[in-house]
Amino acid sequence: MADLHFTICDLRQRISALPQVEYMRGDFLEQHKAHREAARALGQYLTETYGAKVSERHDANRITMHRITSTSTSGLIGAFQNWIAAAEKRHAITIGDQS
């Protein structure tokens, strides 16, 4: 499960490096566009690096990686964050089984 732990850490770090949307600034649409493009690029990275399957649709976004699937209706970042939560649960269970 070391690979899973590494993937969780890598994804968490890459999410935190994405451009943020600051609502107080006047260029909200441009910020949102940059954020979505960066999220798509992150999805491409996950596909190329970890063999992830990432889909973005108007009604739901999905990621499957390391046989863990997560979805979100709030964008790719939401799906990625939900994947981290599910992967951490799986990792904790696996670590617990080894004790």
Side-chain angles (χ1 to χ4, degrees), residues 68-83:
I68 300 168
T69 299
S70 291
T71 61
S72 175
T73 58
S74 63
L76 285 174
I77 299 304
F80 297 158
Q81 291 168 330
N82 290 344
W83 184 89

Side-chain angles (χ1 to χ4, degrees), residues 36-85:
R36 285 184 64 176
E37 288 174 2
R40 287 183 183 127
L42 177 53
Q44 185 64 35
Y45 166 82
L46 296 171
T47 298
E48 292 170 0
T49 306
Y50 301 109
K53 305 258 190 281
V54 178
S55 67
E56 183 180 22
R57 295 177 26 150
H58 72 282
D59 59 344
N61 302 276
R62 176 184 302 269
I63 178 172
T64 301
M65 185 166 56
H66 294 293
R67 293 182 284 166
I68 300 168
T69 299
S70 291
T71 61
S72 175
T73 58
S74 63
L76 285 174
I77 299 304
F80 297 158
Q81 291 168 330
N82 290 344
W83 184 89
I84 289 172

Side-chain angles (χ1 to χ4, degrees), residues 6-20:
F6 180 82
T7 304
I8 292 167
C9 293
D10 184 31
L11 180 53
R12 181 176 282 121
Q13 181 178 22
R14 289 176 184 278
I15 288 172
S16 69
L18 291 175
Q20 299 299 308

